[in-house]
Amino acid sequence: MGPHPAVAAIRLAVRRVLHDVLTDLTDSRTAGGPPPLVLVACSGGADSMALASALAFEAPKLGIRAGGVTVDHGLQPGSDLRAAEVVTRMTALRLDPVESVAVRVGRDGGPEAAARDARYGALDEAADRLGAAAVLLGHTRDDQAETVLLGLARGSGIRSLSGMAEVSGGPGRTHRYRRPFLQIDRQTARKACMVQSLPVWDDPHNIDPAYTRSRLRHEGLPALEKALGKGVVEALARTAQLSRDDADALDSWAAEAEAGVRDEDGRLECAKLYALPPAVRRRVLRRAVVAAGSPAGSLFARHIEEVDRLITGWRGQGAINLPGRVEAQRQGGRLVIRQG
């Protein structure tokens, strides 16, 4: 008799991702080198405990070492004890190496964004130090649906609607983070923990109405499902994938178009920019502003719209001030973007 359907589903999802990791490593691995290490980021919640269990089961069969990291955000009394307990649970699954990393959460961008930045910083540091080939994250289809709705509320375009990528990472580590569960719902992960008798911890932040995502999870999505039917989460996740495909295509088009709108000195020509479709032109402008030194995370749609008006609504307006002390201004048919 095979495993419970929920357990089979999470294991299959992890197995596919581990195969992808091995494929990506094929060209870079040295023959006879140590087996690759894959880490799971585990909070002790149902999603990440299910992921840890599936990694522990599947990795040895593929010659992969499986380890785990839990991040102590220090936001609640006793969080260090909670992190130590998660380490014990991961060790019981025979993950090795396993460690807890304490972080200090700042204030930039609000509590949720600050905690996320601190968490990814800790995971990046641990992955570099341990030489991990990948870090698995337990985001589910439900998390994806919430991300799409949050992007919709921000009104910042299809990249925002494309949600979380199955594979992501920073400069030089573009394939570090893997999300095997984006096609699996939260209930399946919880069921997998239950049938395997895995203890789980429910973070009180996940039900705290002070947090936007928590309100969306416990009030917003249930209201949408009541009004529109039970298929809302699946439809939103599908929207994320379609939006990501469109956004990737437009980004590629913009990268190709950028060379064609610059003069021999590399300056952007307003007339050629004007001839581009708006979605492509705004991406070219965004690329140019980021290249000039504006932090991508601080650059919003309204900033790019202001720069775009220098092309489409030119009435002699002055320079546009942008994040990172970057300014954009129109000079003699050219768009000049530079750091002040």
Side-chain angles (χ1 to χ4, degrees):
M1 184 176 170
H4 186 280
V7 176
I10 63 168
R11 288 178 178 175
L12 177 59
V14 167
R15 190 182 320 143
R16 285 171 172 163
V17 165
L18 293 180
H19 276 296
D20 290 343
V21 171
L22 288 176
T23 300
D24 290 343
L25 287 173
T26 299
D27 297 332
S28 58
R29 277 188 75 188
T30 305
L37 170 66
V38 172
L39 299 172
V40 57
C42 186
S43 67
D47 303 340
S48 59
M49 281 300 296
L51 183 58
S53 72
L55 176 64
F57 183 82
E58 293 292 341
K61 298 195 292 185
L62 295 172
I64 293 173
R65 290 184 299 137
V69 178
T70 189
V71 178
D72 173 14
H73 297 84
L75 295 175
Q76 301 157 354
S79 64
D80 54 336
L81 299 176
R82 175 64 55 192
E85 192 175 323
V86 175
V87 165
T88 300
R89 290 175 185 177
M90 288 193 288
T91 303
L93 289 170
R94 299 187 178 175
L95 296 178
D96 181 38
V98 165
E99 60 180 53
S100 168
V101 181
V103 296
R104 189 163 178 270
V105 177
R107 296 173 178 268
D108 291 348
E112 291 164 284
R116 184 176 61 247
D117 289 346
R119 180 166 59 253
Y120 278 103
L123 291 173
D124 275 334
E125 187 278 328
D128 286 338
R129 177 165 42 81
L130 297 171
V135 179
L136 305 190
L137 304 174
H139 298 119
T140 64
R141 189 168 69 185
D142 300 77
D143 295 308
Q144 185 74 299
E146 293 159 10
T147 303
V148 172
L149 284 175
L150 290 168
L152 185 62
R154 283 195 298 269
S156 49
I158 61 168
R159 179 56 73 188
S160 190
L161 295 184
S162 63
M164 296 175 284
E166 291 184 356
V167 181
S168 65
R173 298 285 190 274
T174 54
H175 293 80
R176 165 165 285 169
Y177 293 107
R178 314 275 178 148
R179 297 176 175 86
F181 287 179
L182 285 184
Q183 302 301 322
I184 290 177
D185 61 48
R186 192 174 287 143
Q187 204 55 42
T188 297
R190 186 168 286 277
K191 185 75 173 176
C193 289
M194 189 177 73
V195 299
Q196 295 180 99
S197 300
L198 293 175
V200 299
W201 172 65
D202 290 315
D203 187 343
H205 282 165
N206 290 336
I207 56 172
D208 187 343
Y211 293 90
T212 307
R213 190 179 282 268
S214 173
R215 292 195 303 275
L216 185 58
R217 179 173 301 177
H218 297 285
E219 300 170 29
L221 264 173
L224 278 176
E225 288 187 332
K226 186 176 180 181
L228 301 174
K230 286 290 185 184
V232 168
V233 167
E234 188 176 353
L236 286 167
R238 191 164 58 248
T239 295
Q241 187 55 58
L242 294 171
S243 297
R244 181 167 298 279
D245 291 344
D246 289 351
D248 287 347
L250 287 165
D251 286 348
S252 178
W253 186 356
E256 293 173 9
E258 188 171 355
V261 297
R262 293 187 181 274
D263 63 16
E264 60 277 5
D265 297 321
R267 296 176 299 177
L268 292 164
E269 296 188 62
C270 295
K272 290 181 178 177
L273 282 167
Y274 186 85
L276 292 174
V280 177
R281 181 176 61 245
R282 291 190 191 112
R283 281 168 167 76
V284 171
L285 295 176
R286 180 181 173 82
R287 287 168 60 90
V289 170
V290 170
S294 198
S298 303
L299 203 55
F300 302 129
R302 59 182 171 80
H303 294 127
I304 302 305
E305 285 166 9
E306 286 185 50
V307 179
D308 196 40
R309 278 195 286 274
L310 295 176
I311 310 299
T312 61
W314 176 241
R315 293 181 178 84
Q317 58 263 49
I320 306 296
N321 293 315
L322 300 160
R325 296 183 297 107
V326 171
E327 66 173 32
Q329 58 182 338
R330 183 165 172 153
Q331 295 179 347
R334 302 290 188 275
L335 187 66
V336 179
I337 302 173
R338 61 187 169 209
Q339 207 161 30

